[in-house]
Amino acid sequence: MAVSISSQAQRQDGLDHLIVGVARAQSAEALAQQLLSGVPGLRGVALWGEGGTLALAWAGEKPAEPHSPLRPLGDDEEYWLATAPPTELPPELRAVTELRLRHLDAQRSIERLSRRLSSMATAATTDALTGLPNRWALDTELSHLDATAEEFAVVFIDLDGFKAINDEHGHAMGDSLLKGYGLWLSRVTGPWGRVYRMGGDEYLLLVTHFPGTAEAFEAWAHERLPQLFVDGVTASIGIAWRHERPSVGEVLKLADQRMYQAKTAQARAPKEAP
């Protein structure tokens, strides 16, 4: 009798250990492997989902005909088990196996949803044509800056002559110019600023870490930014610094005003030339 009680206790310990292993399995494959190694006499284990129509994982010998040895793990018959040879598992082991499969499915659903939400968030803050951050991304960045005392400058940039390129060479050429100029702006800006496409042929450069004085930056900007790589196209720019206005919104408005002043002066220049 003592031997029988000891043997029963060992079997229970083995079952308890197997249940813990199943409950900790990080994938359906690992779960199947736990069952294969923990249930004496098994040569193969297959797990099925979606009412027994979707193979999830197997370990060891793959059961030859899934419809023949399939057995539901729970009353709702969502998850099924096939073993080689056909073996009746203890009810508590079936219950934990079903629960773990539900948990793993829930994790996958959460991960898929998280990736989808991340993709949607990226799309919402990215300009589809150029791949640059858009005005929604700029609003978020400016909100962060508004909560700090950090100095920054904004540069509004508007392309002059872009419409003529579109009209003469078509939208494909125009799109290439917009993408190329956006890429070039990002490269020349480097680590001390970020470029945004505001829409149409307008860009904005947010300068937060320029390694020099405001005067040095403005000299650089007026020398480099108007010079485009397509004949007949240049750029008008307007620069404003945080310390010039009491709010972020007014800084943006000032830069925009200066850009349009530069654009107007550029348009009048040829007519006023002697």
Side-chain angles (χ1 to χ4, degrees), residues 142-267:
L142 289 176
S143 295
H144 293 322
L145 286 173
D146 202 22
T148 73
E150 184 177 353
E151 175 72 306
F152 65 85
V154 293
V155 185
F156 264 103
I157 306 169
D158 185 86
L159 301 186
D160 302 317
F162 175 75
K163 185 177 183 303
I165 293 292
N166 255 353
D167 293 344
E168 184 175 350
H169 300 287
H171 290 286
M173 177 65 176
D175 288 350
S176 295
L177 173 58
L178 292 173
K179 288 187 286 187
Y181 186 60
L183 178 62
W184 178 78
L185 277 177
S186 296
R187 286 179 175 173
V188 299
T189 299
W192 43 261
R194 195 175 186 192
V195 179
Y196 301 80
R197 185 184 178 209
M198 304 300 285
D201 58 357
E202 290 188 350
Y203 300 82
L204 183 138
L205 174 58
L206 178 62
V207 183
T208 52
H209 296 93
F210 185 73
T213 65
E215 293 77 12
F217 170 75
E218 294 195 19
W220 175 88
H222 283 289
E223 178 183 356
R224 295 295 304 277
L225 300 184
Q227 305 302 318
L228 266 69
F229 38 81
V230 174
D231 290 342
V233 181
T234 183
S236 297
I237 69 172
I239 305 172
W241 295 85
R242 181 174 192 167
H243 63 264
E244 294 185 276
R245 290 293 186 270
S247 71
V248 169
E250 292 183 22
V251 173
L252 289 175
K253 186 180 295 185
L254 178 60
D256 194 32
Q257 290 172 348
R258 288 173 174 171
M259 182 270 290
Y260 275 104
Q261 290 170 358
K263 195 174 187 68
T264 301
Q266 175 70 15

Side-chain angles (χ1 to χ4, degrees), residues 95-109:
V96 173
T97 300
E98 179 192 25
L99 181 61
R100 189 58 182 168
L101 286 172
R102 289 189 184 281
H103 178 75
L104 291 171
D105 275 351
Q107 281 185 322
R108 284 192 294 271
S109 296

Side-chain angles (χ1 to χ4, degrees), residues 3-155:
V3 173
S4 177
I5 293 175
S6 175
S7 177
Q8 184 178 359
Q10 288 176 354
R11 286 197 298 271
Q12 186 61 48
D13 287 345
L15 178 59
D16 291 344
H17 180 76
L18 176 56
I19 287 175
V20 170
V22 166
R24 293 176 176 175
Q26 296 301 305
S27 66
E29 291 79 7
L31 197 159
Q33 187 61 49
Q34 284 284 344
L35 293 174
L36 178 67
S37 61
V39 178
L42 288 187
R43 300 190 307 273
V45 175
L47 297 170
W48 295 71
E50 296 186 7
T53 62
L54 176 66
L56 300 176
W58 70 82
E61 176 184 317
K62 188 176 182 181
E65 295 294 334
H67 62 273
S68 174
L70 274 181
R71 294 173 180 160
L73 286 170
D75 293 337
D76 63 358
E77 300 185 350
E78 172 67 17
Y79 299 98
W80 293 66
L81 172 74
T83 61
T87 303
E88 185 67 32
L89 299 185
E92 60 265 48
L93 181 56
R94 293 202 312 271
V96 173
T97 300
E98 179 192 25
L99 181 61
R100 189 58 182 168
L101 286 172
R102 289 189 184 281
H103 178 75
L104 291 171
D105 275 351
Q107 281 185 322
R108 284 192 294 271
S109 296
I110 291 171
E111 290 168 0
R112 285 194 297 268
L113 180 59
S114 178
R115 287 194 296 270
R116 184 174 298 178
L117 289 175
S118 177
S119 177
M120 291 172 63
T122 299
T125 57
T126 302
D127 177 61
L129 176 64
T130 64
L132 294 171
N134 60 18
R135 63 172 61 244
W136 301 109
L138 175 65
D139 288 343
T140 300
E141 181 66 21
L142 289 176
S143 295
H144 293 322
L145 286 173
D146 202 22
T148 73
E150 184 177 353
E151 175 72 306
F152 65 85
V154 293
V155 185

